[in-house]
Amino acid sequence: MTDEKHEAPTAIASASTHDHNCTCGDASHVAFDRPPEGLPDEELLYELADLFKVFGDTTRIKILYALMGQELCVADLAELIGATQSAVSHQLRTLKQARLVKFQRDGKNVIYSLSDDHVYTVLAQGMTHICE
């Protein structure tokens, strides 16, 4: 009986020492330093939800994938993803508002690219998640 009492605290202590300090006993959790103490501000949560809504359209996802590692104009994007230039322009407006794509003028043409590496990372992580 004495041994059982000593084993229980040890098991709890080792389970609670992994990265998330939970008692699940799984030490393979990915550590993101420490989880936040509470929820983020309501406005930030709203903005995050809006950002993820932008990823809810396959045409926008196709555009983002087409822009991975290259810069393209609307006509090239439309041809590449099999959509009309009007549809691509409409979706690019949404992507610009969400700061997922940026653009630069080249004479009469407007050339689009991903805003930064975060966009690439979100897409890559999403694909990894659904393929597991």
Side-chain angles (χ1 to χ4, degrees):
M1 263 207 235
T2 309
D3 290 335
E4 288 177 31
K5 288 181 184 177
H6 290 295
E7 287 180 37
T10 305
I12 292 171
S14 65
S16 66
T17 58
H18 71 277
D19 298 327
H20 295 279
N21 289 327
C22 68
T23 58
C24 71
D26 185 358
S28 66
H29 285 254
V30 177
F32 295 108
D33 198 15
R34 285 245 180 243
E37 289 296 318
L39 290 175
D41 180 81
E42 190 72 26
E43 186 174 332
L44 286 175
L45 292 172
Y46 181 80
E47 289 177 20
L48 184 60
D50 278 348
L51 174 65
F52 281 114
K53 287 177 190 176
V54 174
F55 290 97
D57 181 271
T58 54
T59 301
R60 290 192 289 264
I61 295 294
K62 287 179 185 178
I63 291 168
L64 292 172
Y65 263 94
L67 292 173
M68 288 176 122
Q70 62 183 339
E71 299 176 339
L72 297 167
C73 67
V74 173
D76 291 341
L77 277 166
E79 185 177 333
L80 191 62
I81 70 167
T84 65
Q85 288 187 31
S86 176
V88 169
S89 292
H90 175 75
Q91 297 303 339
L92 282 167
R93 188 176 313 112
T94 300
L95 292 168
K96 284 188 293 187
Q97 288 172 343
R99 298 179 305 176
L100 296 174
V101 298
K102 60 184 178 181
F103 65 95
Q104 61 186 8
R105 294 205 177 273
D106 182 23
K108 289 185 178 183
N109 286 329
V110 178
I111 308 298
Y112 293 89
S113 61
L114 295 181
S115 289
D116 55 40
D117 289 340
H118 295 115
V119 180
Y120 178 88
T121 301
V122 169
L123 290 170
Q125 288 293 316
M127 188 60 77
T128 299
H129 179 73
I130 63 170
C131 289
E132 287 183 343

